[in-house]
Amino acid sequence: MSRGRRRLLPVLALLLVAAAGPSSSAEAELVFGFYNATCPIAEGVVFAEMRAILQEDATLAPSLLRMHYHDCFVQGCDGSVMLRSRRGTAERDAAPNRSMRGFDAVERIKARLEMLCPLTVSCADIIAMAARDAVHLSQGPWYEVETGRRDGNVTVAEYAANDLAPPDSNIVDVKTFFSVKSLNSRDIAVLFGSHSIGTSHCAAFQKRLYNFTGAMDQDPTLDARYARRLRKLCPRAGGRGRTKVPIDPGSGFTFDLSYYRHVLATGGLFQSDGSLLHDASTRGYVEKMANASSPDEYYKDFAAAMVKMGRTDVLHGSQGEVRTTCGVFVD
Ligand code: HEM
């Protein structure tokens, strides 16, 4: 499919959703403490497991935060990112998800909860809670997570390829992808701060370093010194390798404001990060957070934006299911 057509898909999806009736995010019936009566230990169990998981492998914190975003943007926050296909047609088989990690961690939490509260806590809720705990355990804020999501049992690789913005997106593309999910410019600027933790494979940004316009050139909007460092870390010939670099160098495992300082200094790793500077409202937010003396306001904004993203097209009530294993094979 041509790039132009691929980029139109979110707009078409928006029109279809509008035609189908009120946005399902508006109808979402999530609550704080959904499991208070049925499994009061649920949140504590997720947190304890997350602490143990991150003690074994701290690099899984960003992966679980990313998983919540990738789950929510593809058919809503319904745990479908976990489903498997023997034919390679599940969301997790799609290009944007091939670098996804943390599936075993979610399964481990699920197995523990199945022992304590069988068939009660959905995979989608586990992912939402794990993302929150991952942020908190990376020295970020703790915030209340709404729960009550049910799990979907449909997974289509193409949906993931269509609904997740590629890293070479400009700000117009980014706004289109996010507005389909009822998220506005401010939500974009806030949620992108998630790139304060984690790593990226060279392949996701290599074009910026070696062949930006097809003339073997470098992206002129990327800070030249940073680009030189990246070229050393990601040599042209090693582009398809497994090398990873921190997205927020210097503080790649601490959830803080340094991401915004890098972006403001034209050192955002992906074009989509840099694109925040190309729109008045997202740029304003970057400037504000890059110059903030404390992360408190950002933490509040982040909590609100995560709760909002967590409402995206959720299944609730008698919709969907709660299953014993998150990563079952659908075919
Ligand atoms: C236009 C939007 C976005 C684009 C293009 C994008 C792109 C990417 C890419 C290319 C990677 C590196 C993957 C790899 O090579 O391993 C990445 C990592 C990551 N993304 Fe995003 N992202 C976007 C939005 C978000 C949002 C909204 C969140 C969270 C709410 C998020 C959280 C993360 C995290 C935490 C990582 C690090 C993962 C790890 O270390 O395993 N991203 N993103």
Side-chain angles (χ1 to χ4, degrees), residues 1-9:
M1 188 182 305
S2 79
R3 187 158 193 83
R5 245 187 95 197
R6 182 155 63 88
R7 286 191 162 152
L8 273 178
L9 282 169

Side-chain angles (χ1 to χ4, degrees), residues 58 69 269:
Y69 158 56
L269 184 59

Side-chain angles (χ1 to χ4, degrees), residues 3-327:
R3 187 158 193 83
R5 245 187 95 197
R6 182 155 63 88
R7 286 191 162 152
L8 273 178
L9 282 169
V11 179
L12 291 175
L14 182 62
L15 294 175
L16 285 175
V17 169
S23 139
S24 41
S25 10
E27 298 168 14
E29 287 178 10
L30 301 180
V31 290
F32 294 117
F34 179 81
Y35 297 108
N36 283 353
T38 53
C39 184
I41 51 171
E43 299 216 14
V45 170
V46 176
F47 186 76
E49 287 298 322
M50 277 299 290
R51 196 162 40 193
I53 287 164
L54 298 186
Q55 265 161 12
E56 288 165 29
D57 182 357
T59 68
L60 284 172
S63 310
L64 285 157
L65 171 56
R66 182 180 184 221
M67 186 185 285
H68 185 40
Y69 158 56
H70 282 217
D71 187 31
C72 291
F73 264 57
V74 185
Q75 293 193 105
C77 320
D78 68 344
S80 59
V81 69
M82 291 291 299
L83 292 169
R84 292 184 221 230
S85 156
R86 288 188 184 83
R87 295 184 298 136
T89 56
E91 282 169 40
R92 60 198 265 181
D93 300 311
N97 283 334
R98 278 185 218 136
S99 55
M100 177 78 71
R101 298 170 65 237
F103 297 107
D104 292 347
V106 173
E107 217 61 88
R108 169 172 165 178
I109 300 169
K110 176 65 168 167
R112 184 91 189 112
L113 282 168
E114 282 306 301
M115 280 169 57
L116 300 164
C117 310
L119 283 176
T120 305
V121 185
S122 69
C123 301
D125 278 345
I126 291 173
I127 296 170
M129 291 186 266
R132 182 266 313 276
D133 297 343
V135 168
H136 186 56
L137 291 164
S138 305
Q139 298 169 51
W142 192 90
Y143 55 90
E144 293 278 358
V145 167
E146 289 181 340
T147 40
R149 297 171 191 80
R150 308 258 301 172
D151 293 330
N153 51 19
V154 175
T155 181
V156 181
E158 271 181 16
Y159 294 168
N162 291 335
D163 290 351
L164 293 162
D168 62 350
S169 300
N170 62 34
I171 192 64
V172 176
D173 297 332
V174 170
K175 281 168 125 181
T176 306
F177 277 93
F178 278 66
S179 68
V180 172
K181 309 295 171 189
S182 308
L183 296 167
N184 59 30
S185 301
R186 185 185 172 83
D187 300 322
I188 292 168
V190 174
L191 290 170
F192 272 33
S194 299
H195 285 169
S196 162
I197 53 173
T199 55
S200 170
H201 293 83
C202 298
F205 54 86
Q206 209 136 9
K207 198 175 125 204
R208 303 187 81 185
L209 304 178
Y210 296 110
N211 199 10
F212 186 57
T213 64
M216 309 307 266
D217 52 344
Q218 189 172 296
D219 182 349
T221 67
L222 180 65
D223 176 69
R225 259 207 349 226
Y226 182 42
R228 258 199 309 280
R229 280 213 324 265
L230 289 173
R231 286 163 77 108
K232 278 201 192 122
L233 294 168
C234 300
R236 190 194 300 264
R240 303 233 168 265
R242 307 183 73 83
T243 309
K244 291 200 236 176
V245 306
I247 305 178
D248 180 16
S251 103
F253 287 96
T254 310
F255 193 91
D256 56 18
L257 294 174
S258 86
Y259 165 81
Y260 291 105
R261 293 192 275 272
H262 284 297
V263 170
L264 188 59
T266 65
L269 184 59
F270 308 126
Q271 269 163 269
S272 49
D273 293 316
S275 82
L276 294 180
L277 297 178
H278 306 147
D279 170 272
S281 91
T282 50
R283 186 185 176 97
Y285 194 82
V286 170
E287 284 170 351
K288 187 171 173 196
M289 288 310 153
N291 294 308
S293 53
S294 134
D296 292 353
E297 185 180 345
Y298 176 63
Y299 286 173
K300 257 193 241 150
D301 293 344
F302 181 75
M306 286 295 279
V307 169
K308 189 171 171 190
M309 185 180 82
R311 291 178 185 153
T312 306
D313 299 332
V314 295
L315 301 172
H316 56 84
S318 59
Q319 299 168 327
E321 61 182 16
V322 174
R323 52 179 175 263
T324 48
T325 308
C326 297

